[in-house]
Amino acid sequence: MADRYLTFTGTTPGRFLTRRLGLPQPATLKRWSPQRPALEGERLLLTAGKSDLEWRDAGLDLTASAGKPAAVLLDATGVRDVETLAEVHAALHPVVRSVAESGRIVVLGAPLSASDHHQAAVQQALEGFTRSLGKEIGRGRTVNLVRLTDVRAAGSTLRFLLSPRSAYVSGQVIVVGAYGEGAHGGREGAHTGGARDAGEAPAGSDRPLIDPDRPLTGRTALVTGAARGIGEAVAETLARDGARVVVLDVPQAEQDARRVADRLGGTALALDITASHAGERIAAALPDGLDVLVHNAGITRDRRLVNMPAERWSSVLDVNLASVLRTTDALLESGTLRRGGRIVATASIAGLAGNAGQTNYGASKAGVVGLVRSLAPRALAEHEVTVNAVAPGFIETRMTAAIPLFIREAGRRMNSLAQGGLPVDVAETTAWLAHPESGAVNGQVVRVCGQSLLGA
Ligand code: NAI
């Protein structure tokens, strides 16, 4: 269902009227397209405190001054006390107004120190700063914080956040290198991360060079629930990035799954993910192995707990959590998920904030977060596989079109960008996590929610 309010405020009379009435002013977000692959304008690098980061190794096109920057990177990794925290204000105060529409601000922080509580306090302060600026900056601009120690491991992350692909990701804190650097493209890939992703394959690797425009070339990606909605967009975006896609959905949706697979040059797999031995059946269908596993299939069966029959509870927990646990285990244990692989699971802001009428759904999606946080370090150490989650907010799909009008309208507006996201926003975030050079991004739960007020 189209967002008519957004269309209306995109017209001159609409903008005039809604401004006069003090109503939300959502900007039309500039998303990625083949015609607009990058932000239009310069990327400005600012520093607060004394930084040890080696920006020359970053492979990013950065300038020291720009009239109307499309993006601003603020290196605040060297902020260690309240005095140097003032340099964050001093650096951004003069430029924030001039950041272009749909522009980006990325603040870089250091890991929190366990031995220096002054450093930890001011580094934590950067989170409150980032989230507050995200809420006030407006005009489709986003503000995110990345904690890192080595820019070379953060190439794919910074390129994503500084591009139109991250249009609906704001107010997020992403830790790069939280569990070591590994998984093909952590450290090794980072060394290859010269200008525009291109680089050599990791030493001793039989993998081909990474094509910056099609980084998933030669890799196979399986997306569950991909016959429509967000899953379809994920399959499409991974195929755009060069992956061979396997479109999995329930047998009842086989025709749609085939249509999607045919369009993307992939294959369809008609399988109910809750079926017994679903993981083994996927493994059998992929004798050559799998590189990217996207757990996207999900259902809602909303009722308040007092009115919820056991069947509504168990069906949601089975699709959204138990099958994710089972297939993950089966595909890791059988070795189907190759070294350097990626798992991206789909949580939800309802799993972070809770939502009335969704005790079953909220439990299942919080369970996904628990799975990711616990498995991530082990999967990296034992299998060289990263495990992350996307947590969508209000995304325009059939699922959200079924929500009653007033609740739907509230869901759309109650975020910093004052609009719902599109399936492609979740897909672009998944593609960044699946990128061969995102090996140092592990155990992260990234909200794709326009900085929703829910659970913020
Ligand atoms: P959707 O209902 O449009 O699509 C879900 C797909 O999963 C369908 O094609 C369905 O046939 C498939 N599926 C359901 N049960 C399955 C099973 N047992 N085995 C295999 N496939 C199965 O949903 P949408 O909106 O695209 O959501 C995708 C994911 O994103 C879900 O996990 C959902 O919980 C999550 N999400 C969506 C949000 C939104 O605003 N639309 C917000 C937060 C999370």
Side-chain angles (χ1 to χ4, degrees), residues 225 228-230 248-250 271-274 296-299 319 346-348 361 365 392-395 397 399-400:
R228 68 176 204 207
I230 294 172
L248 183 150
D249 214 299
V250 288
L271 178 65
D272 185 328
I273 202 71
T274 64
N296 163 81
I299 60 169
V319 177
T346 308
S348 162
Y361 185 77
K365 295 300 190 179
F394 185 100
I395 306 294
T397 64
M399 195 188 250
T400 47

Side-chain angles (χ1 to χ4, degrees), residues 35-305:
Q35 294 73 35
R36 186 167 42 204
L39 296 175
E40 286 149 2
E42 289 182 279
R43 296 160 165 184
L44 178 61
L45 175 63
L46 303 172
T47 311
K50 194 189 157 310
S51 168
D52 295 326
L53 294 182
E54 292 288 348
W55 281 104
R56 275 163 302 147
D57 298 342
L60 295 165
D61 237 348
L62 300 168
T63 59
S65 71
K68 198 172 167 56
V72 179
L73 258 179
L74 174 66
D75 178 354
T77 53
V79 170
R80 290 187 182 83
D81 50 40
V82 179
E83 287 70 46
T84 42
L85 186 61
E87 293 179 28
V88 170
H89 169 267
L92 285 176
H93 170 71
V95 300
V96 73
R97 196 193 298 274
S98 59
V99 177
E101 225 166 271
S102 278
R104 305 276 180 265
I105 294 184
V106 176
V107 179
L108 300 177
L112 303 186
S113 168
S115 57
D116 178 352
H117 54 285
H118 289 250
Q119 189 270 6
V122 294
Q123 284 295 324
Q124 184 75 35
L126 294 177
E127 295 192 13
F129 171 81
T130 298
R131 294 201 166 111
S132 300
L133 185 57
K135 288 188 176 178
E136 68 184 37
I137 194 165
R139 297 174 57 209
R141 296 177 287 190
T142 65
V143 189
N144 292 288
L145 173 68
V146 178
R147 291 201 190 284
L148 46 65
T149 48
D150 182 350
V151 284
R152 292 172 304 176
S156 63
T157 301
L158 296 179
R159 281 191 301 272
F160 169 67
L161 291 175
L162 296 172
S163 79
R165 297 173 194 231
S166 57
Y168 201 61
V169 177
S170 194
Q172 297 308 292
V173 178
I174 296 155
V175 182
V176 177
Y179 300 105
E181 307 281 339
H184 286 277
R187 269 206 90 68
E188 312 100 311
H191 286 301
T192 71
R196 309 191 60 238
D197 294 351
E200 299 153 19
S205 161
D206 54 1
R207 288 180 183 272
L209 301 182
I210 297 167
D211 174 347
D213 296 324
R214 292 173 67 79
L216 297 175
T217 301
R219 293 175 196 239
T220 303
L222 178 122
V223 186
T224 69
R228 68 176 204 207
I230 294 172
E232 179 178 3
V234 171
E236 196 171 335
T237 303
L238 297 181
R240 175 203 68 188
D241 284 358
R244 271 189 307 271
V245 290
V246 181
V247 176
L248 183 150
D249 214 299
V250 288
Q252 304 89 293
E254 188 172 0
Q255 241 186 346
D256 285 338
R258 276 194 194 290
R259 180 183 47 78
V260 174
D262 289 349
R263 181 162 57 82
L264 303 177
T267 50
L269 183 56
L271 178 65
D272 185 328
I273 202 71
T274 64
S276 60
H277 306 299
E280 288 73 6
R281 287 167 64 184
I282 294 171
L286 294 166
D288 295 332
L290 179 65
D291 301 287
V292 180
L293 169 61
V294 182
H295 293 294
N296 163 81
I299 60 169
T300 50
R301 296 285 182 272
D302 298 355
R303 282 277 168 86
R304 283 177 188 266
L305 186 62

Side-chain angles (χ1 to χ4, degrees), residues 344-407:
V344 183
T346 308
S348 162
I349 55 168
L352 305 174
N355 204 14
Q358 293 199 312
T359 51
N360 51 357
Y361 185 77
S364 71
K365 295 300 190 179
V368 166
V369 173
L371 151 72
V372 165
R373 292 197 175 137
S374 170
L375 180 61
R378 274 179 293 126
L380 188 63
E382 292 167 22
H383 303 276
E384 278 181 43
V385 168
T386 63
V387 189
N388 293 287
V390 289
F394 185 100
I395 306 294
E396 304 281 356
T397 64
R398 267 204 238 178
M399 195 188 250
T400 47
I403 299 173
L405 177 68
F406 286 106
I407 303 175

